[in-house]
Amino acid sequence: AWIAIVCLLFLMPVSPKGIPGAADFDWNVVNYAPLTVGGALLLFGGWYLLSARRWFTGPVREVGTEQEPAIGERELETDAP
C-alpha cells in the first residue's frame, strides 16, 4: 500500500501551474512522469497484447518436486573438495 501511495504522489504535479487546463498553466512546471509511465504502459502493454501473450509461457521450472532441491544440494556438498 505504501508503494502505491508513494507512486501516486510522485506522479502528481509539483505546482498548480503544472495542471493542464489551469488558468496560469506553464509547460515549464509540468511533471512529465505520468506521460512517460503512461507511454511505457501503453508500449509494453500493447506489445504483450499483440504479440507476447501468444508465445510467452512464463518461467520454466527446472525442478519437478519439493524434494529434488534437497537432493541437488546434497550432491553439491558431496562433490566439494
Side-chain angles (χ1 to χ4, degrees), residues 7-15 17-20 25-41:
C7 288
L8 288 175
L9 288 175
F10 285 142
L11 292 175
M12 297 293 225
V14 293
S15 167
K17 291 181 180 181
I19 301 172
F25 176 72
D26 184 13
W27 280 103
N28 292 324
V29 291
V30 170
N31 184 5
Y32 290 98
L35 298 174
T36 56
V37 170
L41 288 174

